[in-house]
Amino acid sequence: MNSPPETPSSAERPSVTDAELLTAHINGDPHAFSEIVKRHRDRMWAVALRTLGDPDEAADAVQDAFVSAYRKAGSFRGEAAVTTWLHRIVVNACLDRMRRKSVRPVADDELIEAAERETPMPDQTLEREVSMEVSAALKLLPGDQRAALVLVDMMGYSVEDAAQVLQVPSGTVKSRCARGRAKLAPILSHLRNRSEANRVSSAKGAELRDG
């Protein structure tokens, strides 16, 4: 006598939504939460890395966040998307790590001094150099401003979606982004000048080749 075919778990059905996977996890499906992790770990890692600027710290923050999400899945109310809920947990894990390390806000005069200390990096490509300088500059911001800028300017979140992740009003996100950008401007202004110089150089080179 043939046994009936096994019913696939929620995680094995590709059309299952994140919310359905989370419900399945709460109901005891042993594979459901692993599928959620597979779907979202890369984006969560990007948020943590850009917020903390340190791969080891980011990895620990993401691990802490997923463990917390696993344990607190029953608290998910469905008022926001699962991805928003996960981003909120990751951002909070990052902010907790920053607070534990007692990262203090940097005064404006220190930001100006940092802008004047431009260390050449001849062995790095321009893109890599820019990325490192932006990451270093972000570390100078208070955690709340850094988190807002990462979500809005680097991850492409709308102000409204970032507000849901951070659990603050949209106006607060706008204010944090504005203050953060104002503090970053003197530090990163040389990058804009360098980019403009490269464009001019490229244009002149094209003129010479065409001529």
Short mmCIF file of all heavy atoms in Angstrom, two decimals, residues 94-151:
data_model
loop_
_atom_site.label_atom_id
_atom_site.label_comp_id
_atom_site.label_asym_id
_atom_site.label_seq_id
_atom_site.Cartn_x
_atom_site.Cartn_y
_atom_site.Cartn_z
N CYS A 94 21.79 47.39 16.02
CA CYS A 94 22.94 48.24 15.71
C CYS A 94 23.06 49.38 16.71
O CYS A 94 24.17 49.68 17.20
CB CYS A 94 22.82 48.81 14.29
SG CYS A 94 22.97 47.59 12.97
N LEU A 95 21.94 50.03 17.01
CA LEU A 95 21.97 51.15 17.97
C LEU A 95 22.39 50.67 19.35
O LEU A 95 23.12 51.36 20.07
CB LEU A 95 20.60 51.82 18.01
CG LEU A 95 20.17 52.53 16.73
CD1 LEU A 95 18.75 53.09 16.88
CD2 LEU A 95 21.13 53.65 16.35
N ASP A 96 21.94 49.47 19.73
CA ASP A 96 22.35 48.91 21.02
C ASP A 96 23.86 48.71 21.07
O ASP A 96 24.50 49.00 22.09
CB ASP A 96 21.66 47.56 21.26
CG ASP A 96 20.19 47.72 21.64
OD1 ASP A 96 19.80 48.84 22.01
OD2 ASP A 96 19.45 46.73 21.55
N ARG A 97 24.43 48.23 19.97
CA ARG A 97 25.88 48.02 19.93
C ARG A 97 26.62 49.34 20.00
O ARG A 97 27.67 49.45 20.66
CB ARG A 97 26.28 47.26 18.66
CG ARG A 97 25.87 45.80 18.72
CD ARG A 97 26.46 44.94 17.63
NE ARG A 97 26.31 43.56 18.07
CZ ARG A 97 27.20 42.89 18.80
NH1 ARG A 97 28.33 43.48 19.14
NH2 ARG A 97 26.98 41.66 19.19
N MET A 98 26.09 50.35 19.33
CA MET A 98 26.74 51.67 19.40
C MET A 98 26.67 52.23 20.81
O MET A 98 27.64 52.83 21.29
CB MET A 98 26.08 52.63 18.40
CG MET A 98 26.50 52.39 16.95
SD MET A 98 25.93 53.71 15.85
CE MET A 98 24.25 53.16 15.52
N ARG A 99 25.53 52.05 21.46
CA ARG A 99 25.41 52.56 22.84
C ARG A 99 26.35 51.82 23.78
O ARG A 99 26.96 52.43 24.67
CB ARG A 99 23.96 52.42 23.32
CG ARG A 99 23.03 53.50 22.78
CD ARG A 99 21.69 53.47 23.47
NE ARG A 99 20.90 52.32 23.04
CZ ARG A 99 20.01 52.37 22.06
NH1 ARG A 99 19.80 53.49 21.40
NH2 ARG A 99 19.31 51.29 21.72
N ARG A 100 26.48 50.50 23.60
CA ARG A 100 27.37 49.74 24.48
C ARG A 100 28.83 50.15 24.30
O ARG A 100 29.62 50.08 25.23
CB ARG A 100 27.22 48.24 24.20
CG ARG A 100 25.93 47.65 24.75
CD ARG A 100 26.05 46.15 24.96
NE ARG A 100 26.25 45.44 23.71
CZ ARG A 100 25.26 44.96 22.95
NH1 ARG A 100 24.00 45.17 23.31
NH2 ARG A 100 25.52 44.30 21.84
N LYS A 101 29.15 50.58 23.08
CA LYS A 101 30.53 51.02 22.84
C LYS A 101 30.72 52.48 23.20
O LYS A 101 31.81 53.04 23.02
CB LYS A 101 30.88 50.81 21.37
CG LYS A 101 30.93 49.34 20.96
CD LYS A 101 31.35 49.16 19.52
CE LYS A 101 32.81 49.44 19.34
NZ LYS A 101 33.28 49.11 17.97
N SER A 102 29.64 53.12 23.70
CA SER A 102 29.69 54.52 24.16
C SER A 102 30.23 55.44 23.08
O SER A 102 31.14 56.24 23.30
CB SER A 102 30.56 54.64 25.42
OG SER A 102 30.03 53.87 26.46
N VAL A 103 29.68 55.31 21.88
CA VAL A 103 30.07 56.20 20.80
C VAL A 103 29.46 57.57 21.07
O VAL A 103 28.25 57.70 21.17
CB VAL A 103 29.57 55.67 19.44
CG1 VAL A 103 29.93 56.65 18.33
CG2 VAL A 103 30.17 54.31 19.16
N ARG A 104 30.28 58.58 21.21
CA ARG A 104 29.76 59.91 21.55
C ARG A 104 29.59 60.73 20.27
O ARG A 104 30.35 60.59 19.30
CB ARG A 104 30.73 60.66 22.48
CG ARG A 104 32.07 60.98 21.84
CD ARG A 104 32.97 61.71 22.82
NE ARG A 104 34.26 62.03 22.22
CZ ARG A 104 34.49 63.12 21.51
NH1 ARG A 104 33.53 63.98 21.29
NH2 ARG A 104 35.69 63.36 20.98
N PRO A 105 28.59 61.62 20.25
CA PRO A 105 28.43 62.51 19.10
C PRO A 105 29.67 63.39 18.94
O PRO A 105 30.32 63.77 19.90
CB PRO A 105 27.21 63.36 19.47
CG PRO A 105 26.49 62.55 20.49
CD PRO A 105 27.55 61.80 21.25
N VAL A 106 30.01 63.71 17.71
CA VAL A 106 31.20 64.50 17.43
C VAL A 106 30.80 65.96 17.22
O VAL A 106 29.84 66.26 16.53
CB VAL A 106 31.91 63.97 16.16
CG1 VAL A 106 33.17 64.78 15.88
CG2 VAL A 106 32.25 62.50 16.36
N ALA A 107 31.54 66.85 17.85
CA ALA A 107 31.24 68.27 17.74
C ALA A 107 31.54 68.78 16.33
O ALA A 107 32.35 68.20 15.61
CB ALA A 107 32.06 69.06 18.77
N ASP A 108 30.89 69.90 15.95
CA ASP A 108 31.05 70.42 14.59
C ASP A 108 32.50 70.78 14.28
O ASP A 108 32.97 70.60 13.16
CB ASP A 108 30.17 71.65 14.40
CG ASP A 108 28.69 71.28 14.33
OD1 ASP A 108 28.41 70.08 14.17
OD2 ASP A 108 27.84 72.17 14.42
N ASP A 109 33.23 71.33 15.27
CA ASP A 109 34.61 71.71 14.99
C ASP A 109 35.48 70.48 14.72
O ASP A 109 36.43 70.52 13.94
CB ASP A 109 35.20 72.54 16.13
CG ASP A 109 35.14 71.82 17.47
OD1 ASP A 109 34.38 70.84 17.58
OD2 ASP A 109 35.85 72.25 18.39
N GLU A 110 35.13 69.34 15.35
CA GLU A 110 35.86 68.12 15.08
C GLU A 110 35.56 67.61 13.67
O GLU A 110 36.41 67.02 13.02
CB GLU A 110 35.50 67.04 16.10
CG GLU A 110 35.98 67.35 17.51
CD GLU A 110 35.56 66.27 18.49
OE1 GLU A 110 36.24 65.23 18.54
OE2 GLU A 110 34.55 66.47 19.17
N LEU A 111 34.34 67.85 13.21
CA LEU A 111 33.98 67.45 11.85
C LEU A 111 34.80 68.24 10.83
O LEU A 111 35.25 67.70 9.82
CB LEU A 111 32.49 67.67 11.61
CG LEU A 111 31.54 66.80 12.43
CD1 LEU A 111 30.09 67.24 12.19
CD2 LEU A 111 31.68 65.34 12.07
N ILE A 112 34.99 69.53 11.11
CA ILE A 112 35.79 70.36 10.21
C ILE A 112 37.23 69.86 10.18
O ILE A 112 37.86 69.76 9.12
CB ILE A 112 35.74 71.84 10.64
CG1 ILE A 112 34.30 72.36 10.61
CG2 ILE A 112 36.64 72.68 9.75
CD1 ILE A 112 33.66 72.33 9.23
N GLU A 113 37.76 69.53 11.36
CA GLU A 113 39.12 69.01 11.41
C GLU A 113 39.25 67.71 10.63
O GLU A 113 40.24 67.48 9.94
CB GLU A 113 39.54 68.78 12.87
CG GLU A 113 39.73 70.06 13.66
CD GLU A 113 40.06 69.77 15.12
OE1 GLU A 113 40.32 68.59 15.43
OE2 GLU A 113 40.06 70.71 15.92
N ALA A 114 38.24 66.86 10.74
CA ALA A 114 38.27 65.60 10.01
C ALA A 114 38.28 65.85 8.51
O ALA A 114 38.90 65.12 7.74
CB ALA A 114 37.07 64.74 10.39
N ALA A 115 37.57 66.88 8.08
CA ALA A 115 37.52 67.19 6.65
C ALA A 115 38.88 67.62 6.13
O ALA A 115 39.21 67.40 4.97
CB ALA A 115 36.51 68.30 6.40
N GLU A 116 39.68 68.22 7.01
CA GLU A 116 40.99 68.73 6.59
C GLU A 116 42.06 67.64 6.61
O GLU A 116 43.15 67.83 6.07
CB GLU A 116 41.41 69.88 7.51
CG GLU A 116 40.47 71.09 7.38
CD GLU A 116 40.75 72.15 8.43
OE1 GLU A 116 41.52 71.84 9.37
OE2 GLU A 116 40.20 73.26 8.32
N ARG A 117 41.76 66.51 7.24
CA ARG A 117 42.74 65.42 7.31
C ARG A 117 42.44 64.39 6.23
O ARG A 117 41.90 63.32 6.50
CB ARG A 117 42.70 64.75 8.69
CG ARG A 117 43.11 65.65 9.82
CD ARG A 117 43.40 64.82 11.07
NE ARG A 117 42.24 64.04 11.45
CZ ARG A 117 41.30 64.45 12.30
NH1 ARG A 117 41.40 65.64 12.85
NH2 ARG A 117 40.28 63.68 12.61
N GLU A 118 42.75 64.71 5.01
CA GLU A 118 42.48 63.80 3.90
C GLU A 118 43.72 62.96 3.64
O GLU A 118 44.74 63.45 3.16
CB GLU A 118 42.09 64.59 2.65
CG GLU A 118 41.69 63.69 1.50
CD GLU A 118 41.30 64.49 0.29
OE1 GLU A 118 41.14 65.71 0.41
OE2 GLU A 118 41.17 63.90 -0.79
N THR A 119 43.68 61.70 3.98
CA THR A 119 44.82 60.81 3.82
C THR A 119 44.77 60.13 2.45
O THR A 119 43.79 59.47 2.12
CB THR A 119 44.81 59.71 4.91
OG1 THR A 119 44.78 60.35 6.18
CG2 THR A 119 46.04 58.83 4.80
N PRO A 120 45.81 60.26 1.63
CA PRO A 120 45.79 59.61 0.32
C PRO A 120 45.84 58.10 0.45
O PRO A 120 46.48 57.56 1.35
CB PRO A 120 47.06 60.15 -0.36
CG PRO A 120 47.96 60.56 0.77
CD PRO A 120 47.05 61.02 1.87
N MET A 121 45.20 57.41 -0.47
CA MET A 121 45.16 55.94 -0.46
C MET A 121 45.49 55.45 -1.86
O MET A 121 44.60 55.07 -2.63
CB MET A 121 43.79 55.44 -0.02
CG MET A 121 43.40 55.92 1.36
SD MET A 121 41.67 55.64 1.71
CE MET A 121 41.60 53.86 1.61
N PRO A 122 46.75 55.46 -2.26
CA PRO A 122 47.12 55.19 -3.64
C PRO A 122 46.80 53.79 -4.11
O PRO A 122 46.66 53.55 -5.30
CB PRO A 122 48.64 55.44 -3.65
CG PRO A 122 49.06 55.25 -2.22
CD PRO A 122 47.92 55.74 -1.41
N ASP A 123 46.72 52.83 -3.20
CA ASP A 123 46.51 51.44 -3.60
C ASP A 123 45.04 51.08 -3.75
O ASP A 123 44.73 49.95 -4.08
CB ASP A 123 47.18 50.50 -2.58
CG ASP A 123 48.69 50.67 -2.56
OD1 ASP A 123 49.25 51.04 -3.61
OD2 ASP A 123 49.28 50.45 -1.50
N GLN A 124 44.14 52.01 -3.47
CA GLN A 124 42.71 51.73 -3.55
C GLN A 124 42.15 52.30 -4.84
O GLN A 124 42.57 53.33 -5.32
CB GLN A 124 41.97 52.36 -2.36
CG GLN A 124 42.45 51.90 -1.00
CD GLN A 124 42.04 50.47 -0.71
OE1 GLN A 124 41.14 49.94 -1.35
NE2 GLN A 124 42.71 49.85 0.23
N THR A 125 41.16 51.63 -5.40
CA THR A 125 40.43 52.21 -6.53
C THR A 125 39.62 53.38 -6.01
O THR A 125 39.33 53.47 -4.81
CB THR A 125 39.49 51.18 -7.17
OG1 THR A 125 38.49 50.81 -6.21
CG2 THR A 125 40.25 49.94 -7.62
N LEU A 126 39.23 54.26 -6.91
CA LEU A 126 38.48 55.45 -6.49
C LEU A 126 37.17 55.06 -5.82
O LEU A 126 36.80 55.62 -4.79
CB LEU A 126 38.19 56.34 -7.71
CG LEU A 126 37.37 57.60 -7.43
CD1 LEU A 126 38.08 58.50 -6.44
CD2 LEU A 126 37.08 58.35 -8.74
N GLU A 127 36.49 54.08 -6.39
CA GLU A 127 35.20 53.68 -5.81
C GLU A 127 35.38 53.14 -4.40
O GLU A 127 34.60 53.45 -3.50
CB GLU A 127 34.56 52.61 -6.70
CG GLU A 127 33.18 52.18 -6.23
CD GLU A 127 32.53 51.17 -7.17
OE1 GLU A 127 33.07 50.95 -8.27
OE2 GLU A 127 31.49 50.61 -6.78
N ARG A 128 36.39 52.31 -4.19
CA ARG A 128 36.65 51.75 -2.88
C ARG A 128 37.03 52.85 -1.89
O ARG A 128 36.59 52.87 -0.74
CB ARG A 128 37.78 50.71 -2.97
CG ARG A 128 38.22 50.12 -1.65
CD ARG A 128 37.12 49.32 -1.01
NE ARG A 128 37.59 48.63 0.18
CZ ARG A 128 36.80 48.11 1.08
NH1 ARG A 128 35.49 48.20 0.94
NH2 ARG A 128 37.29 47.49 2.13
N GLU A 129 37.83 53.80 -2.36
CA GLU A 129 38.25 54.90 -1.50
C GLU A 129 37.06 55.73 -1.06
O GLU A 129 36.92 56.08 0.12
CB GLU A 129 39.25 55.77 -2.25
CG GLU A 129 39.76 56.97 -1.45
CD GLU A 129 40.73 57.81 -2.24
OE1 GLU A 129 41.20 57.34 -3.29
OE2 GLU A 129 41.00 58.94 -1.80
N VAL A 130 36.18 56.03 -2.01
CA VAL A 130 34.99 56.82 -1.68
C VAL A 130 34.13 56.09 -0.67
O VAL A 130 33.64 56.67 0.30
CB VAL A 130 34.18 57.13 -2.96
CG1 VAL A 130 32.81 57.70 -2.60
CG2 VAL A 130 34.95 58.12 -3.83
N SER A 131 33.94 54.78 -0.90
CA SER A 131 33.11 53.98 0.01
C SER A 131 33.67 54.00 1.42
O SER A 131 32.93 54.14 2.40
CB SER A 131 33.02 52.54 -0.51
OG SER A 131 32.30 51.74 0.39
N MET A 132 34.98 53.87 1.54
CA MET A 132 35.61 53.86 2.86
C MET A 132 35.49 55.22 3.54
O MET A 132 35.27 55.31 4.74
CB MET A 132 37.07 53.44 2.73
CG MET A 132 37.27 51.99 2.32
SD MET A 132 39.01 51.53 2.14
CE MET A 132 39.53 51.58 3.85
N GLU A 133 35.63 56.29 2.75
CA GLU A 133 35.55 57.63 3.34
C GLU A 133 34.13 57.93 3.80
O GLU A 133 33.93 58.56 4.83
CB GLU A 133 36.03 58.67 2.33
CG GLU A 133 37.53 58.60 2.07
CD GLU A 133 38.04 59.80 1.30
OE1 GLU A 133 37.57 60.93 1.57
OE2 GLU A 133 38.90 59.62 0.43
N VAL A 134 33.14 57.50 3.02
CA VAL A 134 31.75 57.71 3.43
C VAL A 134 31.45 56.93 4.70
O VAL A 134 30.82 57.44 5.63
CB VAL A 134 30.79 57.28 2.30
CG1 VAL A 134 29.35 57.28 2.80
CG2 VAL A 134 30.92 58.24 1.11
N SER A 135 31.93 55.67 4.77
CA SER A 135 31.71 54.86 5.97
C SER A 135 32.36 55.49 7.19
O SER A 135 31.77 55.52 8.28
CB SER A 135 32.27 53.44 5.76
OG SER A 135 31.56 52.76 4.74
N ALA A 136 33.58 56.00 7.01
CA ALA A 136 34.26 56.65 8.12
C ALA A 136 33.54 57.91 8.56
O ALA A 136 33.43 58.19 9.76
CB ALA A 136 35.70 56.99 7.71
N ALA A 137 33.01 58.65 7.60
CA ALA A 137 32.28 59.87 7.94
C ALA A 137 30.99 59.56 8.68
O ALA A 137 30.63 60.26 9.64
CB ALA A 137 31.98 60.67 6.66
N LEU A 138 30.30 58.51 8.26
CA LEU A 138 29.06 58.13 8.94
C LEU A 138 29.29 57.81 10.41
O LEU A 138 28.43 58.08 11.25
CB LEU A 138 28.43 56.93 8.25
CG LEU A 138 27.64 57.20 6.96
CD1 LEU A 138 27.27 55.90 6.28
CD2 LEU A 138 26.38 58.01 7.26
N LYS A 139 30.46 57.26 10.73
CA LYS A 139 30.76 56.90 12.11
C LYS A 139 30.84 58.11 13.01
O LYS A 139 30.76 57.99 14.24
CB LYS A 139 32.08 56.12 12.18
CG LYS A 139 32.01 54.71 11.62
CD LYS A 139 33.34 54.01 11.80
CE LYS A 139 33.32 52.59 11.26
NZ LYS A 139 34.61 51.91 11.42
N LEU A 140 31.02 59.29 12.43
CA LEU A 140 31.12 60.51 13.23
C LEU A 140 29.76 61.05 13.65
O LEU A 140 29.69 61.94 14.48
CB LEU A 140 31.87 61.59 12.44
CG LEU A 140 33.30 61.24 11.99
CD1 LEU A 140 33.87 62.36 11.14
CD2 LEU A 140 34.19 60.99 13.21
N LEU A 141 28.70 60.51 13.07
CA LEU A 141 27.36 61.00 13.38
C LEU A 141 26.76 60.29 14.59
O LEU A 141 27.09 59.13 14.86
CB LEU A 141 26.43 60.79 12.19
CG LEU A 141 26.76 61.51 10.88
CD1 LEU A 141 25.73 61.14 9.82
CD2 LEU A 141 26.81 63.02 11.09
N PRO A 142 25.86 60.95 15.31
CA PRO A 142 25.09 60.25 16.34
C PRO A 142 24.30 59.10 15.72
O PRO A 142 23.93 59.15 14.54
CB PRO A 142 24.15 61.34 16.89
CG PRO A 142 24.81 62.64 16.51
CD PRO A 142 25.53 62.39 15.21
N GLY A 143 24.03 58.09 16.51
CA GLY A 143 23.39 56.89 16.00
C GLY A 143 22.06 57.12 15.32
O GLY A 143 21.77 56.51 14.29
N ASP A 144 21.23 58.02 15.89
CA ASP A 144 19.90 58.23 15.30
C ASP A 144 19.99 58.87 13.92
O ASP A 144 19.26 58.49 13.00
CB ASP A 144 19.02 59.06 16.23
CG ASP A 144 19.61 60.40 16.59
OD1 ASP A 144 20.79 60.66 16.24
OD2 ASP A 144 18.91 61.22 17.22
N GLN A 145 20.94 59.81 13.75
CA GLN A 145 21.12 60.43 12.44
C GLN A 145 21.71 59.44 11.44
O GLN A 145 21.31 59.39 10.28
CB GLN A 145 22.02 61.66 12.56
CG GLN A 145 21.41 62.79 13.37
CD GLN A 145 22.37 63.94 13.59
OE1 GLN A 145 23.35 64.10 12.87
NE2 GLN A 145 22.10 64.76 14.60
N ARG A 146 22.65 58.64 11.91
CA ARG A 146 23.27 57.64 11.04
C ARG A 146 22.25 56.65 10.53
O ARG A 146 22.20 56.32 9.34
CB ARG A 146 24.39 56.92 11.80
CG ARG A 146 25.29 56.09 10.90
CD ARG A 146 26.22 55.18 11.70
NE ARG A 146 26.87 55.84 12.82
CZ ARG A 146 27.72 55.22 13.63
NH1 ARG A 146 27.98 53.93 13.46
NH2 ARG A 146 28.27 55.85 14.64
N ALA A 147 21.41 56.14 11.43
CA ALA A 147 20.41 55.15 11.04
C ALA A 147 19.44 55.73 10.01
O ALA A 147 19.08 55.06 9.03
CB ALA A 147 19.65 54.66 12.27
N ALA A 148 19.01 56.98 10.21
CA ALA A 148 18.09 57.61 9.28
C ALA A 148 18.72 57.79 7.90
O ALA A 148 18.10 57.51 6.87
CB ALA A 148 17.62 58.96 9.82
N LEU A 149 19.96 58.23 7.86
CA LEU A 149 20.64 58.44 6.59
C LEU A 149 20.89 57.13 5.85
O LEU A 149 20.77 57.06 4.63
CB LEU A 149 21.97 59.16 6.81
CG LEU A 149 21.90 60.68 6.99
CD1 LEU A 149 23.29 61.24 7.29
CD2 LEU A 149 21.34 61.34 5.75
N VAL A 150 21.25 56.08 6.59
CA VAL A 150 21.47 54.79 5.95
C VAL A 150 20.20 54.30 5.27
O VAL A 150 20.21 53.87 4.12
CB VAL A 150 21.97 53.75 6.98
CG1 VAL A 150 21.89 52.33 6.41
CG2 VAL A 150 23.42 54.05 7.37
N LEU A 151 19.08 54.39 5.97
CA LEU A 151 17.82 53.91 5.41
C LEU A 151 17.37 54.74 4.22
O LEU A 151 16.99 54.20 3.18
CB LEU A 151 16.73 53.90 6.49
CG LEU A 151 16.89 52.86 7.60
CD1 LEU A 151 15.83 53.08 8.67
CD2 LEU A 151 16.79 51.44 7.04
#
